[in-house]
Coordinates of all heavy atoms in Angstrom, one line a residue:
M1 N -96.3 -72.6 -104.1 CA -95.1 -72.2 -104.8 C -95.5 -71.1 -105.8 O -96.4 -71.2 -106.5 CB -94.5 -73.3 -105.6 CG -93.3 -72.9 -106.4 SD -92.9 -74.1 -107.8 CE -94.2 -73.6 -108.9
A2 N -94.8 -70.0 -105.8 CA -95.0 -68.9 -106.7 C -93.7 -68.4 -107.2 O -92.7 -68.5 -106.5 CB -95.8 -67.8 -106.0
C3 N -93.7 -67.8 -108.3 CA -92.5 -67.3 -108.9 C -92.2 -65.9 -108.2 O -93.2 -65.1 -108.1 CB -92.6 -67.1 -110.4 SG -91.2 -66.6 -111.2
Q4 N -91.0 -65.7 -107.8 CA -90.7 -64.4 -107.1 C -89.8 -63.6 -108.1 O -88.7 -64.0 -108.5 CB -90.0 -64.6 -105.8 CG -90.8 -65.4 -104.8 CD -92.0 -64.5 -104.4 OE1 -91.9 -63.3 -104.1 NE2 -93.1 -65.1 -104.4
D5 N -90.3 -62.4 -108.5 CA -89.5 -61.6 -109.4 C -88.4 -60.9 -108.7 O -88.6 -60.2 -107.7 CB -90.4 -60.5 -110.0 CG -91.4 -61.2 -111.0 OD1 -91.1 -62.2 -111.5 OD2 -92.5 -60.5 -111.2
L6 N -87.2 -61.1 -109.2 CA -86.0 -60.4 -108.7 C -85.8 -59.1 -109.4 O -85.4 -58.0 -108.9 CB -84.7 -61.2 -108.8 CG -84.8 -62.5 -107.9 CD1 -83.5 -63.3 -108.2 CD2 -84.9 -62.2 -106.5
T7 N -86.1 -59.1 -110.7 CA -86.2 -58.0 -111.6 C -87.4 -58.2 -112.5 O -87.9 -59.3 -112.5 CB -84.9 -57.8 -112.4 OG1 -84.9 -58.9 -113.4 CG2 -83.6 -57.9 -111.6
P8 N -87.7 -57.3 -113.4 CA -88.8 -57.6 -114.3 C -88.6 -58.7 -115.2 O -89.5 -59.3 -115.8 CB -89.0 -56.3 -115.1 CG -88.4 -55.2 -114.2 CD -87.3 -55.9 -113.4
F9 N -87.3 -59.1 -115.4 CA -87.0 -60.2 -116.4 C -86.3 -61.4 -115.8 O -85.9 -62.3 -116.5 CB -86.1 -59.6 -117.5 CG -86.7 -58.4 -118.2 CD1 -86.3 -57.2 -117.9 CD2 -87.7 -58.6 -119.1 CE1 -86.8 -56.1 -118.5 CE2 -88.3 -57.5 -119.7 CZ -87.9 -56.2 -119.4
F10 N -86.2 -61.5 -114.4 CA -85.5 -62.6 -113.8 C -86.4 -63.0 -112.6 O -86.9 -62.3 -111.8 CB -84.2 -62.0 -113.2 CG -83.3 -63.1 -112.7 CD1 -82.6 -64.0 -113.5 CD2 -83.1 -63.2 -111.3 CE1 -81.8 -65.0 -113.0 CE2 -82.3 -64.2 -110.7 CZ -81.7 -65.1 -111.6
C11 N -86.6 -64.3 -112.6 CA -87.6 -64.9 -111.6 C -87.0 -66.2 -111.0 O -86.3 -66.9 -111.7 CB -88.8 -65.2 -112.4 SG -90.2 -65.7 -111.5
W12 N -87.2 -66.5 -109.7 CA -86.8 -67.7 -109.1 C -88.0 -68.4 -108.5 O -89.0 -67.8 -108.1 CB -85.7 -67.4 -108.1 CG -86.1 -66.6 -106.9 CD1 -86.1 -65.3 -106.8 CD2 -86.7 -67.1 -105.7 NE1 -86.6 -64.8 -105.6 CE2 -87.0 -65.9 -104.9 CE3 -87.0 -68.3 -105.1 CZ2 -87.5 -66.0 -103.6 CZ3 -87.5 -68.4 -103.8 CH2 -87.7 -67.3 -103.1
F13 N -87.9 -69.7 -108.3 CA -89.0 -70.5 -107.7 C -88.4 -71.7 -107.0 O -87.3 -72.2 -107.3 CB -90.0 -70.9 -108.8 CG -89.4 -71.6 -109.9 CD1 -89.3 -72.9 -110.0 CD2 -88.9 -70.8 -111.0 CE1 -88.7 -73.6 -111.1 CE2 -88.4 -71.4 -112.1 CZ -88.3 -72.8 -112.2
F14 N -89.1 -72.3 -106.0 CA -88.7 -73.5 -105.4 C -89.9 -74.1 -104.7 O -90.9 -73.5 -104.5 CB -87.6 -73.2 -104.4 CG -88.1 -72.5 -103.2 CD1 -88.5 -73.1 -102.0 CD2 -88.1 -71.1 -103.2 CE1 -89.0 -72.4 -100.9 CE2 -88.5 -70.4 -102.1 CZ -89.0 -71.1 -100.9
Q15 N -89.8 -75.4 -104.5 CA -90.8 -76.2 -103.7 C -90.2 -77.3 -103.0 O -89.4 -78.0 -103.6 CB -91.9 -76.6 -104.7 CG -93.1 -77.3 -103.9 CD -94.3 -77.6 -104.8 OE1 -94.2 -77.5 -106.0 NE2 -95.4 -77.8 -104.2
G16 N -90.5 -77.6 -101.8 CA -90.1 -78.7 -101.0 C -91.3 -79.7 -100.8 O -92.4 -79.2 -100.6
L17 N -91.0 -81.0 -100.9 CA -92.1 -81.9 -100.7 C -91.7 -83.0 -99.7 O -90.5 -83.4 -99.6 CB -92.3 -82.7 -102.0 CG -92.6 -81.8 -103.2 CD1 -92.4 -82.5 -104.5 CD2 -93.9 -81.1 -103.2
W18 N -92.6 -83.4 -98.8 CA -92.4 -84.5 -97.9 C -93.7 -85.2 -97.7 O -94.7 -84.6 -97.6 CB -91.9 -83.9 -96.5 CG -91.6 -84.9 -95.5 CD1 -90.4 -85.6 -95.4 CD2 -92.5 -85.4 -94.5 NE1 -90.5 -86.5 -94.3 CE2 -91.8 -86.4 -93.8 CE3 -93.8 -85.1 -94.1 CZ2 -92.3 -87.1 -92.7 CZ3 -94.3 -85.8 -93.0 CH2 -93.6 -86.7 -92.3
N19 N -93.5 -86.5 -97.6 CA -94.7 -87.4 -97.6 C -94.4 -88.6 -96.7 O -93.4 -89.2 -96.8 CB -95.1 -87.9 -99.0 CG -96.6 -88.2 -99.1 OD1 -97.3 -88.4 -98.1 ND2 -97.0 -88.4 -100.3
K20 N -95.4 -88.9 -95.8 CA -95.2 -90.1 -94.9 C -96.5 -90.9 -95.1 O -97.6 -90.4 -94.9 CB -95.0 -89.7 -93.5 CG -94.8 -90.9 -92.6 CD -94.6 -90.5 -91.2 CE -94.5 -91.7 -90.3 NZ -94.4 -91.3 -88.8
W21 N -96.4 -92.2 -95.4 CA -97.5 -93.1 -95.5 C -97.4 -94.1 -94.4 O -96.6 -94.9 -94.3 CB -97.5 -93.8 -96.8 CG -97.6 -92.9 -98.0 CD1 -97.8 -91.5 -98.0 CD2 -97.4 -93.2 -99.4 NE1 -97.8 -91.0 -99.3 CE2 -97.6 -92.1 -100.1 CE3 -97.2 -94.4 -100.0 CZ2 -97.5 -92.1 -101.5 CZ3 -97.2 -94.4 -101.4 CH2 -97.3 -93.3 -102.1
D22 N -98.4 -94.0 -93.4 CA -98.5 -94.9 -92.3 C -99.2 -96.2 -92.7 O -100.2 -96.2 -93.4 CB -99.2 -94.3 -91.1 CG -98.4 -93.1 -90.5 OD1 -97.2 -93.1 -90.6 OD2 -99.1 -92.2 -90.0
N23 N -98.6 -97.3 -92.2 CA -99.2 -98.7 -92.5 C -99.4 -98.9 -94.0 O -100.5 -99.5 -94.4 CB -100.6 -98.8 -91.7 CG -100.4 -98.7 -90.3 OD1 -99.5 -99.3 -89.7 ND2 -101.2 -98.0 -89.6
Y24 N -98.5 -98.5 -94.8 CA -98.6 -98.7 -96.2 C -98.0 -100.1 -96.6 O -96.9 -100.4 -96.3 CB -97.8 -97.6 -97.0 CG -97.9 -97.7 -98.5 CD1 -99.1 -97.4 -99.1 CD2 -96.8 -98.1 -99.2 CE1 -99.2 -97.5 -100.5 CE2 -96.9 -98.2 -100.6 CZ -98.1 -97.9 -101.2 OH -98.2 -98.0 -102.6
L25 N -98.8 -100.9 -97.3 CA -98.5 -102.2 -97.8 C -98.4 -103.3 -96.7 O -98.3 -104.4 -97.0 CB -97.2 -102.2 -98.7 CG -97.3 -101.4 -99.9 CD1 -96.0 -101.5 -100.7 CD2 -98.4 -101.9 -100.8
A26 N -98.2 -102.8 -95.4 CA -98.1 -103.8 -94.3 C -98.4 -103.1 -93.0 O -98.0 -101.9 -92.9 CB -96.7 -104.4 -94.3
D27 N -99.1 -103.7 -92.1 CA -99.3 -103.1 -90.8 C -98.0 -102.8 -90.1 O -97.1 -103.6 -90.1 CB -100.2 -104.1 -89.9 CG -101.6 -104.1 -90.4 OD1 -102.1 -103.2 -91.1 OD2 -102.3 -105.1 -90.1
G28 N -98.0 -101.6 -89.5 CA -96.8 -101.2 -88.8 C -95.7 -100.7 -89.6 O -94.6 -100.3 -89.1
K29 N -95.8 -100.7 -90.9 CA -94.7 -100.2 -91.8 C -95.0 -98.8 -92.3 O -96.0 -98.6 -93.0 CB -94.5 -101.2 -93.0 CG -93.4 -100.9 -93.9 CD -92.0 -101.0 -93.1 CE -90.9 -100.7 -94.1 NZ -89.6 -100.6 -93.4
N30 N -94.2 -97.9 -92.0 CA -94.3 -96.5 -92.5 C -93.3 -96.3 -93.6 O -92.2 -96.7 -93.6 CB -94.1 -95.5 -91.4 CG -95.1 -95.7 -90.3 OD1 -96.2 -96.2 -90.5 ND2 -94.7 -95.4 -89.0
R31 N -93.7 -95.5 -94.6 CA -92.9 -95.2 -95.7 C -92.7 -93.7 -95.8 O -93.7 -93.0 -95.7 CB -93.4 -95.7 -97.0 CG -93.7 -97.2 -96.9 CD -93.0 -98.0 -98.0 NE -93.4 -99.4 -97.9 CZ -92.5 -100.3 -97.5 NH1 -91.3 -100.0 -97.3 NH2 -92.9 -101.6 -97.4
V32 N -91.5 -93.2 -96.1 CA -91.3 -91.7 -96.2 C -90.7 -91.4 -97.5 O -89.8 -92.1 -98.1 CB -90.3 -91.3 -95.1 CG1 -89.9 -89.8 -95.2 CG2 -90.9 -91.6 -93.7
W33 N -91.2 -90.3 -98.1 CA -90.7 -89.8 -99.4 C -90.5 -88.3 -99.3 O -91.3 -87.6 -98.7 CB -91.7 -90.1 -100.5 CG -91.4 -89.7 -101.8 CD1 -90.8 -90.4 -102.8 CD2 -91.7 -88.4 -102.4 NE1 -90.6 -89.6 -103.9 CE2 -91.2 -88.4 -103.7 CE3 -92.3 -87.2 -102.0 CZ2 -91.3 -87.3 -104.6 CZ3 -92.4 -86.1 -102.8 CH2 -91.9 -86.2 -104.1
Y34 N -89.4 -87.8 -99.8 CA -89.1 -86.4 -99.8 C -88.4 -85.9 -101.0 O -87.7 -86.7 -101.7 CB -88.4 -85.9 -98.5 CG -87.0 -86.5 -98.4 CD1 -85.9 -85.9 -98.9 CD2 -86.8 -87.7 -97.7 CE1 -84.6 -86.4 -98.8 CE2 -85.6 -88.3 -97.6 CZ -84.5 -87.6 -98.1 OH -83.2 -88.2 -98.0
G35 N -88.5 -84.7 -101.3 CA -87.8 -84.1 -102.5 C -88.1 -82.6 -102.7 O -88.7 -82.0 -101.8
G36 N -87.7 -82.1 -103.8 CA -88.0 -80.7 -104.1 C -87.3 -80.3 -105.4 O -86.6 -81.0 -106.0
F37 N -87.5 -79.0 -105.7 CA -86.9 -78.5 -106.9 C -86.7 -77.0 -106.7 O -87.4 -76.3 -105.8 CB -87.7 -78.7 -108.1 CG -89.1 -78.2 -108.2 CD1 -89.4 -76.9 -108.5 CD2 -90.1 -79.1 -107.8 CE1 -90.7 -76.5 -108.6 CE2 -91.4 -78.6 -107.8 CZ -91.7 -77.3 -108.2
A38 N -85.8 -76.4 -107.4 CA -85.5 -75.0 -107.4 C -85.1 -74.6 -108.8 O -84.4 -75.3 -109.5 CB -84.4 -74.6 -106.4
G39 N -85.4 -73.3 -109.2 CA -85.0 -72.9 -110.5 C -85.1 -71.4 -110.7 O -85.5 -70.7 -109.8
V40 N -84.5 -71.0 -111.8 CA -84.6 -69.6 -112.2 C -85.0 -69.5 -113.7 O -84.7 -70.4 -114.5 CB -83.2 -68.9 -112.0 CG1 -82.8 -68.8 -110.5 CG2 -82.1 -69.6 -112.8
D41 N -85.7 -68.4 -114.0 CA -86.1 -68.1 -115.4 C -85.5 -66.7 -115.7 O -85.6 -65.8 -114.8 CB -87.6 -68.1 -115.5 CG -88.2 -69.5 -115.5 OD1 -87.5 -70.4 -115.8 OD2 -89.4 -69.6 -115.1
W42 N -85.1 -66.5 -116.9 CA -84.6 -65.2 -117.3 C -85.3 -64.9 -118.7 O -85.1 -65.7 -119.6 CB -83.1 -65.2 -117.5 CG -82.6 -63.9 -118.1 CD1 -83.0 -62.6 -117.8 CD2 -81.6 -63.8 -119.0 NE1 -82.2 -61.7 -118.5 CE2 -81.4 -62.4 -119.3 CE3 -80.8 -64.7 -119.7 CZ2 -80.4 -62.0 -120.2 CZ3 -79.9 -64.2 -120.6 CH2 -79.7 -62.9 -120.9
V43 N -86.0 -63.9 -118.8 CA -86.6 -63.4 -120.0 C -85.7 -62.4 -120.6 O -85.6 -61.2 -120.2 CB -88.0 -62.8 -119.8 CG1 -88.6 -62.4 -121.1 CG2 -88.9 -63.8 -119.1
A44 N -84.9 -62.8 -121.6 CA -83.9 -62.0 -122.2 C -84.5 -60.8 -123.0 O -84.0 -59.7 -123.0 CB -82.9 -62.8 -123.0
N45 N -85.5 -61.2 -123.8 CA -86.2 -60.2 -124.6 C -87.5 -60.9 -125.1 O -87.9 -61.9 -124.6 CB -85.4 -59.8 -125.8 CG -84.8 -60.9 -126.6 OD1 -85.6 -61.9 -127.0 ND2 -83.5 -60.9 -127.0
E46 N -88.2 -60.3 -126.0 CA -89.5 -60.9 -126.5 C -89.4 -62.2 -127.2 O -90.3 -63.0 -127.2 CB -90.2 -59.9 -127.4 CG -90.7 -58.7 -126.7 CD -91.5 -57.7 -127.6 OE1 -91.8 -58.1 -128.8 OE2 -91.9 -56.7 -127.2
E47 N -88.2 -62.5 -127.7 CA -88.0 -63.8 -128.4 C -87.4 -64.9 -127.5 O -87.7 -66.1 -127.7 CB -87.2 -63.6 -129.7 CG -87.9 -62.8 -130.8 CD -87.7 -61.4 -130.6 OE1 -86.8 -60.9 -130.0 OE2 -88.5 -60.6 -131.2
W48 N -86.5 -64.6 -126.7 CA -85.7 -65.5 -125.9 C -86.0 -65.6 -124.4 O -86.0 -64.6 -123.8 CB -84.2 -65.2 -126.1 CG -83.6 -65.6 -127.5 CD1 -83.5 -64.7 -128.5 CD2 -83.2 -66.8 -127.9 NE1 -83.0 -65.4 -129.6 CE2 -82.8 -66.7 -129.3 CE3 -83.2 -68.1 -127.3 CZ2 -82.4 -67.8 -130.0 CZ3 -82.8 -69.2 -128.1 CH2 -82.3 -69.0 -129.4
T49 N -86.1 -66.8 -123.9 CA -86.1 -67.0 -122.5 C -85.2 -68.2 -122.1 O -84.9 -69.1 -123.0 CB -87.5 -67.4 -122.0 OG1 -87.9 -68.6 -122.6 CG2 -88.5 -66.3 -122.2
F50 N -84.6 -68.2 -121.0 CA -83.6 -69.2 -120.5 C -84.0 -69.6 -119.1 O -84.6 -68.8 -118.3 CB -82.2 -68.6 -120.5 CG -81.8 -68.2 -121.9 CD1 -81.9 -66.8 -122.2 CD2 -81.2 -69.0 -122.8 CE1 -81.5 -66.4 -123.5 CE2 -80.8 -68.6 -124.0 CZ -81.0 -67.3 -124.4
S51 N -83.8 -70.9 -118.8 CA -84.1 -71.4 -117.5 C -83.1 -72.4 -117.0 O -82.4 -73.1 -117.8 CB -85.5 -72.0 -117.5 OG -85.6 -73.1 -118.4
A52 N -83.0 -72.5 -115.7 CA -82.2 -73.6 -115.0 C -83.1 -74.2 -113.9 O -83.8 -73.4 -113.2 CB -80.9 -73.0 -114.5
L53 N -83.0 -75.5 -113.8 CA -83.8 -76.2 -112.8 C -83.0 -77.3 -112.1 O -82.3 -78.0 -112.8 CB -85.0 -76.8 -113.5 CG -86.0 -77.6 -112.6 CD1 -86.7 -76.7 -111.6 CD2 -87.0 -78.3 -113.5
Y54 N -83.1 -77.4 -110.8 CA -82.5 -78.5 -110.1 C -83.6 -79.3 -109.4 O -84.5 -78.7 -108.7 CB -81.5 -78.0 -109.1 CG -81.0 -79.1 -108.2 CD1 -80.0 -80.0 -108.7 CD2 -81.4 -79.3 -106.9 CE1 -79.5 -81.0 -108.0 CE2 -80.9 -80.3 -106.1 CZ -80.0 -81.2 -106.7 OH -79.5 -82.2 -105.9
N55 N -83.6 -80.6 -109.6 CA -84.6 -81.6 -109.0 C -83.9 -82.6 -108.1 O -82.9 -83.1 -108.5 CB -85.4 -82.4 -110.1 CG -86.3 -81.6 -110.8 OD1 -87.3 -81.1 -110.3 ND2 -86.0 -81.4 -112.1
Y56 N -84.5 -82.8 -106.9 CA -84.0 -83.8 -106.1 C -85.1 -84.5 -105.4 O -86.1 -83.9 -104.9 CB -83.0 -83.3 -105.0 CG -82.5 -84.3 -104.1 CD1 -81.5 -85.1 -104.4 CD2 -83.2 -84.6 -102.9 CE1 -81.0 -86.1 -103.6 CE2 -82.8 -85.6 -102.0 CZ -81.7 -86.4 -102.4 OH -81.3 -87.4 -101.6
D57 N -85.1 -85.8 -105.4 CA -86.1 -86.6 -104.5 C -85.5 -87.9 -104.1 O -84.6 -88.4 -104.8 CB -87.4 -86.7 -105.1 CG -87.4 -87.4 -106.4 OD1 -87.1 -88.6 -106.5 OD2 -87.8 -86.8 -107.5
N58 N -85.9 -88.4 -103.0 CA -85.4 -89.7 -102.5 C -86.6 -90.5 -102.0 O -87.3 -90.2 -101.1 CB -84.5 -89.4 -101.3 CG -83.9 -90.6 -100.7 OD1 -84.4 -91.7 -100.8 ND2 -82.8 -90.5 -100.0
A59 N -86.8 -91.6 -102.7 CA -87.9 -92.5 -102.3 C -87.3 -93.9 -101.9 O -87.8 -94.9 -102.3 CB -88.8 -92.7 -103.5
G60 N -86.2 -93.9 -101.1 CA -85.5 -95.1 -100.7 C -86.4 -96.1 -100.0 O -86.1 -97.3 -100.1
D61 N -87.4 -95.6 -99.3 CA -88.3 -96.5 -98.6 C -89.1 -97.4 -99.5 O -89.6 -98.5 -99.1 CB -89.3 -95.8 -97.7 CG -88.7 -95.4 -96.4 OD1 -87.5 -95.7 -96.1 OD2 -89.4 -94.8 -95.6
F62 N -89.2 -97.1 -100.8 CA -89.9 -97.9 -101.7 C -89.1 -98.9 -102.5 O -89.6 -99.7 -103.3 CB -90.6 -96.9 -102.8 CG -91.7 -96.1 -102.1 CD1 -91.4 -94.8 -101.9 CD2 -92.9 -96.6 -101.8 CE1 -92.3 -93.9 -101.3 CE2 -93.9 -95.8 -101.3 CZ -93.6 -94.4 -101.0
K63 N -87.8 -98.9 -102.3 CA -86.9 -99.7 -103.1 C -87.3 -101.2 -102.9 O -87.3 -101.7 -101.8 CB -85.5 -99.5 -102.7 CG -84.5 -100.2 -103.7 CD -83.1 -99.6 -103.5 CE -82.2 -100.2 -104.5 NZ -82.3 -99.9 -105.8
G64 N -87.6 -101.9 -104.0 CA -87.9 -103.3 -104.0 C -89.3 -103.6 -103.5 O -89.6 -104.8 -103.4
V65 N -90.1 -102.6 -103.2 CA -91.4 -102.8 -102.6 C -92.5 -102.5 -103.6 O -93.5 -103.2 -103.6 CB -91.6 -102.0 -101.3 CG1 -92.9 -102.2 -100.7 CG2 -90.5 -102.3 -100.3
T66 N -92.4 -101.5 -104.3 CA -93.4 -101.0 -105.2 C -92.9 -100.7 -106.6 O -91.7 -100.7 -106.8 CB -94.1 -99.7 -104.7 OG1 -93.2 -98.7 -104.8 CG2 -94.6 -99.9 -103.3
T67 N -93.7 -100.2 -107.5 CA -93.3 -99.8 -108.8 C -92.6 -98.5 -108.8 O -92.1 -98.0 -109.8 CB -94.5 -99.8 -109.8 OG1 -95.4 -98.9 -109.3 CG2 -95.1 -101.1 -110.0
Y68 N -92.6 -97.8 -107.7 CA -92.0 -96.5 -107.6 C -90.5 -96.5 -107.3 O -89.9 -95.5 -106.8 CB -92.7 -95.7 -106.5 CG -94.2 -95.4 -106.8 CD1 -95.1 -96.1 -106.1 CD2 -94.5 -94.5 -107.8 CE1 -96.5 -96.0 -106.4 CE2 -95.9 -94.4 -108.0 CZ -96.8 -95.1 -107.4 OH -98.1 -94.9 -107.6
D69 N -89.9 -97.6 -107.5 CA -88.4 -97.8 -107.2 C -87.6 -96.7 -107.9 O -86.7 -96.2 -107.4 CB -87.9 -99.1 -107.7 CG -88.4 -100.3 -106.9 OD1 -89.1 -100.0 -105.9 OD2 -88.0 -101.4 -107.2
G70 N -88.0 -96.3 -109.2 CA -87.1 -95.4 -110.0 C -87.4 -93.9 -109.7 O -87.0 -93.1 -110.5
I71 N -88.1 -93.6 -108.7 CA -88.4 -92.2 -108.5 C -87.3 -91.3 -107.9 O -87.4 -90.1 -107.9 CB -89.7 -92.0 -107.6 CG1 -90.4 -90.7 -107.9 CG2 -89.3 -92.2 -106.1 CD1 -91.8 -90.6 -107.3
N72 N -86.2 -91.9 -107.5 CA -85.1 -91.2 -107.0 C -84.5 -90.3 -108.1 O -84.3 -90.8 -109.2 CB -84.0 -92.1 -106.5 CG -84.3 -92.8 -105.2 OD1 -85.2 -92.3 -104.5 ND2 -83.7 -93.9 -104.9
M73 N -84.2 -89.1 -107.8 CA -83.7 -88.1 -108.8 C -82.7 -87.1 -108.2 O -82.9 -86.7 -107.1 CB -84.9 -87.4 -109.5 CG -84.5 -86.6 -110.6 SD -85.9 -85.7 -111.4 CE -87.4 -86.3 -110.8
N74 N -81.7 -86.8 -109.0 CA -80.8 -85.8 -108.6 C -80.3 -85.2 -110.0 O -79.3 -85.7 -110.6 CB -79.6 -86.3 -107.9 CG -78.7 -85.3 -107.3 OD1 -78.9 -84.1 -107.4 ND2 -77.5 -85.7 -106.8
T75 N -81.1 -84.2 -110.5 CA -80.9 -83.8 -111.9 C -80.9 -82.3 -112.0 O -81.6 -81.6 -111.3 CB -82.1 -84.3 -112.7 OG1 -82.3 -85.7 -112.5 CG2 -82.0 -84.0 -114.2
A76 N -80.0 -81.8 -112.9 CA -79.9 -80.4 -113.2 C -80.3 -80.2 -114.7 O -79.8 -81.0 -115.5 CB -78.5 -79.8 -112.9
T77 N -81.1 -79.2 -115.0 CA -81.5 -79.0 -116.4 C -81.4 -77.5 -116.8 O -81.7 -76.7 -115.9 CB -83.0 -79.4 -116.6 OG1 -83.1 -80.8 -116.2 CG2 -83.4 -79.3 -118.0
V78 N -80.9 -77.2 -118.0 CA -80.9 -75.9 -118.5 C -81.6 -75.9 -119.8 O -81.6 -76.9 -120.6 CB -79.4 -75.3 -118.7 CG1 -78.8 -75.1 -117.3 CG2 -78.6 -76.2 -119.6
A79 N -82.3 -74.8 -120.1 CA -83.0 -74.7 -121.4 C -83.0 -73.3 -121.9 O -82.9 -72.4 -121.2 CB -84.5 -75.2 -121.1
G80 N -83.2 -73.3 -123.2 CA -83.4 -72.0 -123.9 C -84.6 -72.1 -124.9 O -84.7 -73.2 -125.5
S81 N -85.4 -71.1 -124.9 CA -86.6 -71.1 -125.7 C -86.6 -69.9 -126.6 O -86.3 -68.8 -126.2 CB -87.9 -71.1 -124.8 OG -87.9 -72.2 -124.0
Y82 N -87.0 -70.2 -127.9 CA -87.1 -69.1 -128.8 C -88.5 -69.0 -129.3 O -89.1 -70.0 -129.8 CB -86.2 -69.3 -130.0 CG -86.3 -68.2 -131.0 CD1 -85.7 -66.9 -130.8 CD2 -87.1 -68.3 -132.2 CE1 -85.8 -65.9 -131.7 CE2 -87.2 -67.3 -133.1 CZ -86.5 -66.1 -132.9 OH -86.7 -65.1 -133.8
Y83 N -89.2 -67.9 -129.2 CA -90.6 -67.7 -129.6 C -90.6 -67.2 -131.0 O -90.3 -66.0 -131.2 CB -91.3 -66.8 -128.6 CG -91.5 -67.4 -127.3 CD1 -90.5 -67.5 -126.3 CD2 -92.7 -68.1 -126.9 CE1 -90.7 -68.1 -125.1 CE2 -92.9 -68.7 -125.7 CZ -91.9 -68.7 -124.8 OH -92.1 -69.3 -123.6
F84 N -91.0 -68.0 -131.9 CA -91.2 -67.6 -133.3 C -92.3 -66.6 -133.5 O -92.3 -65.7 -134.3 CB -91.4 -68.8 -134.2 CG -90.2 -69.7 -134.2 CD1 -90.2 -70.9 -133.4 CD2 -89.1 -69.5 -135.0 CE1 -89.1 -71.7 -133.4 CE2 -88.0 -70.3 -135.0 CZ -88.0 -71.5 -134.2
M85 N -93.4 -66.9 -132.7 CA -94.6 -66.0 -132.7 C -95.2 -66.3 -131.3 O -94.8 -67.1 -130.5 CB -95.5 -66.3 -133.9 CG -96.0 -67.7 -134.1 SD -97.0 -67.9 -135.5 CE -95.9 -67.6 -136.8
R86 N -96.4 -65.7 -131.1 CA -97.0 -65.7 -129.8 C -97.1 -67.1 -129.2 O -96.8 -67.3 -128.0 CB -98.4 -65.1 -129.8 CG -99.1 -65.1 -128.5 CD -100.5 -64.5 -128.6 NE -100.5 -63.5 -127.6 CZ -101.2 -62.4 -127.5 NH1 -101.9 -62.1 -128.6 NH2 -101.2 -61.7 -126.5
N87 N -97.6 -68.1 -129.9 CA -97.8 -69.4 -129.3 C -97.0 -70.5 -130.0 O -97.4 -71.7 -129.9 CB -99.3 -69.8 -129.4 CG -100.2 -69.0 -128.5 OD1 -99.8 -68.7 -127.3 ND2 -101.3 -68.5 -128.9
V88 N -95.9 -70.1 -130.7 CA -95.1 -71.1 -131.4 C -93.7 -70.9 -130.9 O -93.1 -69.8 -131.0 CB -95.1 -71.0 -132.9 CG1 -94.2 -71.9 -133.6 CG2 -96.6 -71.1 -133.4
K89 N -93.1 -71.9 -130.3 CA -91.7 -71.8 -129.8 C -90.9 -73.0 -130.0 O -91.4 -74.1 -130.2 CB -91.7 -71.4 -128.3 CG -92.0 -72.6 -127.4 CD -91.9 -72.2 -125.9 CE -92.2 -73.3 -125.0 NZ -92.0 -73.0 -123.6
G90 N -89.6 -72.8 -130.1 CA -88.6 -73.9 -130.2 C -87.8 -74.0 -128.9 O -87.5 -72.9 -128.3
V91 N -87.5 -75.2 -128.4 CA -86.8 -75.3 -127.1 C -85.6 -76.2 -127.4 O -85.7 -77.3 -128.0 CB -87.8 -76.0 -126.1 CG1 -87.0 -76.2 -124.8 CG2 -89.0 -75.1 -125.9
I92 N -84.5 -75.8 -126.8 CA -83.3 -76.7 -126.7 C -83.0 -76.9 -125.2 O -83.0 -75.9 -124.5 CB -82.1 -76.2 -127.5 CG1 -81.0 -77.2 -127.5 CG2 -81.6 -74.8 -126.9 CD1 -80.0 -77.0 -128.6
E93 N -82.8 -78.1 -124.8 CA -82.7 -78.4 -123.4 C -81.6 -79.4 -123.2 O -81.4 -80.3 -124.0 CB -84.0 -79.0 -122.9 CG -84.0 -79.3 -121.4 CD -85.4 -79.8 -121.0 OE1 -86.3 -79.0 -120.9 OE2 -85.6 -81.0 -120.7
G94 N -80.9 -79.3 -122.1 CA -79.8 -80.2 -121.7 C -80.0 -80.6 -120.2 O -80.3 -79.8 -119.4
S95 N -79.9 -81.9 -119.9 CA -80.0 -82.4 -118.5 C -78.8 -83.2 -118.1 O -78.2 -83.9 -118.9 CB -81.3 -83.2 -118.4 OG -82.4 -82.5 -118.6
L96 N -78.5 -83.1 -116.8 CA -77.4 -83.9 -116.3 C -78.0 -84.7 -115.1 O -78.5 -84.1 -114.1 CB -76.3 -82.9 -115.8 CG -75.1 -83.6 -115.0 CD1 -74.4 -84.5 -115.9 CD2 -74.2 -82.5 -114.4
D97 N -77.9 -86.0 -115.3 CA -78.4 -86.9 -114.2 C -77.2 -87.2 -113.3 O -76.2 -87.8 -113.7 CB -78.9 -88.2 -114.8 CG -79.6 -89.1 -113.8 OD1 -79.5 -88.8 -112.6 OD2 -80.1 -90.1 -114.2
M98 N -77.3 -86.8 -112.0 CA -76.2 -87.0 -111.1 C -76.4 -88.2 -110.1 O -75.8 -88.2 -109.1 CB -76.0 -85.7 -110.3 CG -75.6 -84.6 -111.2 SD -75.5 -83.0 -110.4 CE -77.2 -82.5 -110.4
Q99 N -77.2 -89.2 -110.5 CA -77.4 -90.4 -109.7 C -76.2 -91.3 -109.9 O -75.7 -91.5 -110.9 CB -78.7 -91.1 -110.1 CG -79.9 -90.4 -109.6 CD -80.2 -90.7 -108.1 OE1 -79.3 -91.0 -107.3 NE2 -81.4 -90.5 -107.7

């Protein structure tokens, strides 16, 4: 996954994930997990940056079997960051859980 610049100040990124575990926890039982995320970043100026991110994953095969029951996600997040100085920033973020 790498950030792809659309303009010098606007960037997008994404990643897809898929995993299959053969014979996990029991012989002959296969478990599948998949998910991914996509987002955009905008550098408005030297002080302000804004971002939006969408996350999705589905671990239904683990329900009631392992501690990973809660890994299912369908979430959108937006954030704004203000850089007070080079390594000091403030962040305000909002998330929407669509489960």
Side-chain angles (χ1 to χ4, degrees):
M1 179 199 76
C3 186
Q4 297 295 314
D5 291 335
L6 298 174
T7 71
F9 304 103
F10 187 74
C11 186
W12 64 271
F13 52 92
F14 69 93
Q15 184 170 17
L17 309 164
W18 181 82
N19 203 347
K20 180 180 177 187
W21 299 354
D22 294 332
N23 297 317
Y24 182 69
L25 298 176
D27 286 338
K29 183 66 176 170
N30 299 331
R31 309 236 180 247
V32 175
W33 180 92
Y34 61 91
F37 59 87
V40 293
D41 291 332
W42 174 44
V43 179
N45 55 44
E46 290 184 7
E47 290 88 20
W48 285 99
T49 61
F50 301 93
S51 62
L53 177 68
Y54 174 73
N55 287 292
Y56 178 83
D57 60 64
N58 182 338
D61 276 0
F62 294 102
K63 189 160 182 74
V65 178
T66 71
T67 58
Y68 298 106
D69 289 0
I71 204 168
N72 289 340
M73 187 179 350
N74 187 9
T75 306
T77 304
V78 294
S81 301
Y82 181 79
Y83 289 82
F84 296 99
M85 56 183 66
R86 177 179 233 152
N87 292 318
V88 179
K89 72 176 179 177
V91 177
I92 186 161
E93 180 178 289
S95 291
L96 175 63
D97 185 357
M98 297 173 280
Q99 282 283 24

